Amino acid sequence: MSDGGVLTGGCLCGGVRYTATERPLGVVNCHCGQCRRFHGHFGAYITIPRETVVIDAQDSLSWYRSSAKAQRGFCSRCGSSLFWKGDESDLFDIAAGTLDQPTGLTTLRHIYAEDKGDYYAIDDGLERFPQGAPEPP
């Protein structure tokens, strides 16, 4: 995290770097089947307005249409899972694990908890939604 609360981050090889100029309320863990496959476990994301993210991709950012309504961004060199963006949304999701430390963020809730993997438990006492959750106010 750089001065002023701006969040920065990037992929494993450094081919994709980004700056987020708006701080989110916190991290949301998504347990849907697509996130579990994309990340190799559940997805932990921050959600911010799309126009507050600047991406420097050096030709290594690729997008995969994972559904009829959204795309997932990843580094084509190292394979790091980075972004989720809905076609009809002004919001942008960034994989929290790609943020530079320290973030100063905490985890808020779990979504799509009904679809979680059978090999782990959600027992941290945070708010849980069986499917998606409404965006925070």
Side-chain angles (χ1 to χ4, degrees):
M1 180 173 70
S2 57
D3 293 336
V6 171
L7 294 168
T8 59
C11 68
L12 183 62
C13 73
V16 178
R17 294 288 302 163
Y18 60 82
T19 301
T21 59
E22 183 166 317
R23 291 190 60 81
L25 295 175
V27 176
V28 173
N29 294 335
C30 182
H31 299 270
C32 78
Q34 286 191 8
C35 280
R36 287 188 294 108
R37 289 184 186 276
F38 189 61
H39 295 285
H41 194 37
F42 62 83
Y45 290 100
I46 62 167
T47 302
I48 56 176
R50 199 179 288 202
E51 72 270 5
T52 66
V53 180
V54 176
I55 299 171
D56 177 9
Q58 301 175 10
D59 299 324
S60 63
L61 178 61
S62 291
W63 291 95
Y64 171 70
R65 176 150 300 278
S66 56
S67 71
K69 66 176 187 171
Q71 297 180 65
R72 294 174 184 272
F74 64 96
C75 178
S76 62
R77 277 194 273 185
C78 67
S80 293
S81 308
L82 297 161
F83 309 118
W84 185 94
K85 66 178 180 178
D87 296 338
E88 302 297 322
S89 177
D90 292 331
L91 299 175
F92 193 76
D93 291 351
I94 298 173
T98 67
L99 293 164
D100 295 334
Q101 300 290 307
T103 66
L105 300 172
T106 59
T107 302
L108 302 172
R109 67 182 58 88
H110 299 272
I111 60 172
Y112 292 94
E114 186 175 90
D115 298 332
K116 75 168 199 62
D118 64 359
Y119 59 92
Y120 63 93
I122 302 174
D123 57 4
D124 55 15
L126 295 175
E127 184 176 34
R128 278 191 257 179
F129 291 88
Q131 296 297 314
E135 290 298 323

